[in-house]
Amino acid sequence: MGNHNSFNLNHKEQLHSARINSLNKDPTLGMLPMEKLGKLLIQKSLEEDSINGIGCGVFKRYLFPQYPEMARKLFAYLVTSSGGPASSHVISYSNFKTQTERLLSVLADDRQVLMYVTMYADGKEEIDQEQFRDLLIAVYKLAMDHYPEGPQSCRYIFKTIQAVVDSAFHKKLTLKVGYLTNWILQHCPRLIVLLHRYIVHILSTGYRSVIENSPYSKPNDLELTTPVLEQENLFTAEKNPLLPLSQVWILSTTLPPLYTQPILHSKPTPNCFNTQNFLSKFLDFSCPSHWTLLYNSNQHGIGSNRFLHHVLSYRGPTLTFLRGDEGVLFCMGGTSEWRESHQYWGGDDNIILQLLPHYKVINRGPKSMYLNTSIRGYPKGIRAGNDPRKPSIEVDDSFQHVTHCGIPYKLESVEVWGCGSPKNREVQLDIKNWQIKEAEKNRKLKMTSKEWLDHPDRYLLELAGRQTYSTS
């Protein structure tokens, strides 16, 4: 009995000694993530830059080495939010802990957007075009940087971003921070989501990179389910890309999840905390992986018959892009399959946008899509908009012009992308194959001898030297 008690005492002493040793090795053990990160950054700032407090240099090097300008903006925002000058390159531990915890607690979309617009406005009440452009580029770069084959690029990115800036500013040099926040929430409400989640993730887990003495580097094993970048480079083709990657990106910040929700085919990532797994979860939503090209007028020919042949029977949501002269580009999102009707159709997630030369949402809402090529007594062609008497977009039945706000533009090309599951595309192809077989059957018609005597094929066969044939 005495030996047993002695063993228990010795065991407890060993456990206590192990805890003491572990505390000596890692003084931050037992602290919350923000407390750990703050203490470690103070230590690194003192060792590397001889700074009392947390220095901006260490903050950038260990947490955001790929995005130094974004890190500088974020650090300045933390400083000014705590009452310090924006030019300060040092923040105290207590202020850092308070402001980062406050940032992590922002959940509402409108507060998140306001926070980042204010951040890129350098804490001022107004933001200029260049500052807004920097915010857009930062979000785009974050979305494009983390692919296994390397960062993606799009030669149309500056044209795409300029369309967004021009639409928001209306030729003004500056805007109130509150006005731009409301504009973003209306026209690209998911713009900030990825940026905020990425920053929250880095701040929450960044202490690990400081402990390991290795700043975050570009992930090498990140798996993105974005085969859209692998399917014959549809969005990244050097010559006449069908839909430039930068336009896909900005659309993904606006479109309802019905259109952008990818179909995941990759294996689940392990349940561990690292940047790769985090980004693999959220970058899936930055560019859709499942869009299927149903109709391209440059390839299939332009016209209502061609449009109907390639688009009908696809029983899923679609995006239809209409390019006109003078550089205009419109997009119509329909929640359900295209169908001919004398009535407007579609669900709550119907959406109509202009992409170029300005980027904006024109209409949202149900029963805003219309197609009629054969029903008499009703307008012919394609229409879209909330008011049937004054549609926002019109395409005549000859597919010659697209009209917006009463201004006709020569229709140069039409593209339709299916945004449903692969099953939707399979069903459409099955229906088309059945229609082809039925058409072949209907061609094999039986004729009477009298009908055959007057048939033009009989004359052609006789010219070819065939004088005998069956008339059954």
Side-chain angles (χ1 to χ4, degrees), residues 208-235:
R208 289 185 170 88
S209 69
V210 184
I211 290 175
E212 296 168 2
N213 202 30
S214 58
Y216 274 121
S217 59
K218 179 181 177 295
N220 294 318
D221 59 346
L222 178 62
E223 294 183 3
L224 295 181
T225 53
T226 50
V228 74
L229 299 175
E230 301 167 6
Q231 298 172 358
E232 300 178 5
N233 293 322
L234 290 181
F235 295 165

Side-chain angles (χ1 to χ4, degrees), residues 199-430:
I199 288 176
V200 167
H201 169 74
I202 296 298
L203 292 177
S204 301
T205 62
Y207 66 89
R208 289 185 170 88
S209 69
V210 184
I211 290 175
E212 296 168 2
N213 202 30
S214 58
Y216 274 121
S217 59
K218 179 181 177 295
N220 294 318
D221 59 346
L222 178 62
E223 294 183 3
L224 295 181
T225 53
T226 50
V228 74
L229 299 175
E230 301 167 6
Q231 298 172 358
E232 300 178 5
N233 293 322
L234 290 181
F235 295 165
T236 56
E238 285 297 322
K239 295 182 179 180
N240 302 320
L242 292 171
L243 192 59
L245 181 58
S246 59
Q247 290 180 3
V248 179
W249 162 72
I250 195 63
L251 275 172
S252 70
T253 70
T254 302
L255 295 171
L258 173 72
Y259 304 97
T260 59
Q261 180 73 43
I263 307 300
L264 301 179
H265 302 289
S266 62
K267 298 178 181 179
T269 53
N271 186 22
C272 56
F273 294 99
N274 58 54
T275 309
Q276 291 91 332
N277 290 337
F278 169 79
L279 289 174
S280 66
K281 291 177 182 178
F282 292 113
L283 287 182
D284 286 333
F285 300 90
S286 63
C287 275
S289 66
H290 60 297
W291 290 3
T292 302
L293 183 64
L294 304 179
Y295 172 60
N296 173 19
S297 63
N298 293 329
Q299 176 184 350
H300 303 129
I302 194 167
S304 58
N305 290 335
R306 296 283 81 202
F307 178 88
L308 295 174
H309 174 75
H310 289 279
V311 172
L312 293 187
S313 303
Y314 182 83
R315 294 170 181 170
T318 59
L319 292 173
T320 302
F321 296 89
L322 306 168
R323 288 185 177 83
D325 60 356
E326 300 184 29
V328 298
L329 175 60
F330 304 99
C331 173
M332 301 182 298
T335 59
S336 53
E337 64 179 295
W338 279 94
R339 59 178 180 269
E340 290 208 67
S341 173
H342 66 284
Q343 296 180 332
Y344 281 71
W345 46 268
D348 292 339
D349 284 334
N350 276 4
I351 187 168
I352 305 164
L353 309 100
Q354 180 177 349
L355 279 74
L356 295 172
H358 297 96
Y359 185 86
K360 61 182 179 180
V361 174
I362 299 173
N363 279 143
R364 299 177 188 265
K367 296 183 179 180
S368 55
M369 301 290 288
Y370 175 94
L371 169 65
N372 176 32
T373 62
S374 58
I375 304 173
R376 295 181 179 180
Y378 293 92
K380 298 290 182 68
I382 295 174
R383 293 188 167 200
N386 297 126
D387 186 355
R389 295 168 297 181
K390 193 177 180 181
S392 302
I393 300 290
E394 296 179 71
V395 177
D396 61 287
D397 57 346
S398 62
F399 274 53
Q400 294 295 311
H401 295 90
V402 54
T403 303
H404 173 56
C405 293
I407 303 174
Y409 301 92
K410 182 181 177 182
L411 187 59
E412 295 184 342
S413 67
V414 183
E415 294 168 22
V416 182
W417 294 79
C419 305
S421 68
K423 186 68 176 177
N424 294 128
R425 180 60 168 165
E426 292 171 9
V427 169
Q428 185 199 28
L429 294 177
D430 289 342

Side-chain angles (χ1 to χ4, degrees), residues 180-192:
L180 183 58
T181 297
N182 290 332
W183 187 92
I184 292 173
L185 290 168
Q186 180 181 352
H187 296 281
C188 34
R190 297 167 65 195
L191 177 69
I192 299 300

Side-chain angles (χ1 to χ4, degrees), residues 21-38:
N21 291 333
S22 64
L23 286 172
N24 290 333
K25 291 180 181 178
D26 183 6
T28 66
L29 199 64
M31 292 183 179
L32 295 174
M34 287 300 96
E35 294 174 338
K36 285 185 180 183
L37 179 61

